[in-house]
């Protein structure tokens, strides 16, 4: 205690120490015997080695997992590349087939336009023939017909 008073601030040495039941006082750590220190050091190094081995093993396992994931991802990208090449090839074939069919499609459109024009002409002809069927020249109308007299 006298050593603590000499090392502390001058005010602390001037005041008498009070014993408060709520305050604990620290005791000076005593060094264990030499044999205990050697045993504790061996135990500490053994536990540290186990810890570091575990950390390195976990890190190694993480890298192996990443390597496997990268390999699988690479295979998936190769599969997707093959699929994209096939789709591209099929699209080119489809475009070529469409280009080959284009003249026929244009002929179909032309025929469709001609059929529509022919249909309109048929409707007009039908309407005109109905008009002609109802038409009677003025001499043939029932009001203009004079009955013949018998001779």
């Amino acid at each position: 205690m006298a050593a603590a008073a000499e090392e502390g601030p001058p005010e602390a040495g001037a005041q008498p120490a009070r014993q408060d039941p709520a305050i604990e006082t620290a005791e000076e750590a005593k060094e264990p015997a030499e044999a205990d220190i050697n045993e504790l050091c061996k135990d500490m190094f053994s536990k540290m080695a186990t810890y570091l081995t575990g950390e390195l093993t976990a890190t190694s396992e993480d890298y192996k997992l990443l390597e496997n994931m990268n390999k699988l991802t690479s295979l998936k990208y190769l599969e997707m590349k093959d699929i994209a090449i096939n789709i591209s090839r099929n699209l080119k074939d489809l475009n070529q087939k469409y280009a080959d069919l284009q003249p026929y499609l244009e002929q179909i459109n032309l025929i469709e336009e001609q059929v529509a024009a022919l249909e309109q002409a048929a409707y007009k002809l039908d309407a005109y023939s109905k008009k002609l069927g109802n038409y009677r020249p003025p001499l043939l109308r029932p009001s203009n017909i004079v009955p013949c007299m018998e001779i």
Side-chain angles (χ1 to χ4, degrees):
M1 284 267 196
E6 290 173 9
E7 290 178 5
E11 295 87 21
Q15 293 179 357
R18 288 189 238 166
Q19 291 291 337
D20 191 357
I23 298 176
E24 294 181 17
T25 57
E27 294 182 15
E28 184 178 340
K30 297 179 183 175
E31 290 188 23
E34 189 68 28
D36 289 341
I37 289 176
N38 288 339
E39 193 62 36
L40 289 173
C41 284
K42 286 179 185 177
D43 187 41
M44 179 193 68
F45 283 122
S46 171
K47 289 180 180 179
M48 185 63 85
T50 303
Y51 169 76
L52 291 175
T53 302
E55 285 292 317
L56 292 174
T57 302
T59 303
S60 175
E61 293 297 320
D62 287 345
Y63 281 120
K64 286 178 185 176
L65 177 64
L66 282 173
E67 182 181 7
N68 289 337
M69 289 172 63
N70 284 338
K71 286 179 182 177
L72 288 174
T73 303
S74 175
L75 290 174
K76 284 292 182 184
Y77 279 126
L78 286 175
E79 288 176 13
M80 290 171 61
K81 176 186 163 197
D82 292 340
I83 291 171
I85 288 171
N86 287 335
I87 289 172
S88 175
R89 187 179 317 120
N90 291 338
L91 183 60
K92 286 179 184 176
D93 292 344
L94 189 61
N95 284 337
Q96 182 60 42
K97 288 177 182 178
Y98 180 76
D100 293 343
L101 287 176
Q102 189 62 34
Y104 300 110
L105 294 173
E106 289 173 3
Q107 287 178 358
I108 290 171
N109 287 338
L110 182 62
I111 291 171
E112 185 180 358
E113 290 172 6
Q114 290 173 350
V115 165
L118 186 60
E119 185 180 13
Q120 289 300 320
Y123 284 134
K124 287 179 183 177
L125 184 60
D126 185 47
Y128 185 72
S129 66
K130 285 181 183 177
K131 245 182 176 181
L132 281 178
N134 292 333
Y135 179 74
R136 297 198 182 168
L139 294 175
L140 296 178
R141 291 191 183 145
S143 61
N144 291 340
I145 297 180
V146 178
C148 289
M149 295 177 125
E150 283 188 35
I151 309 181

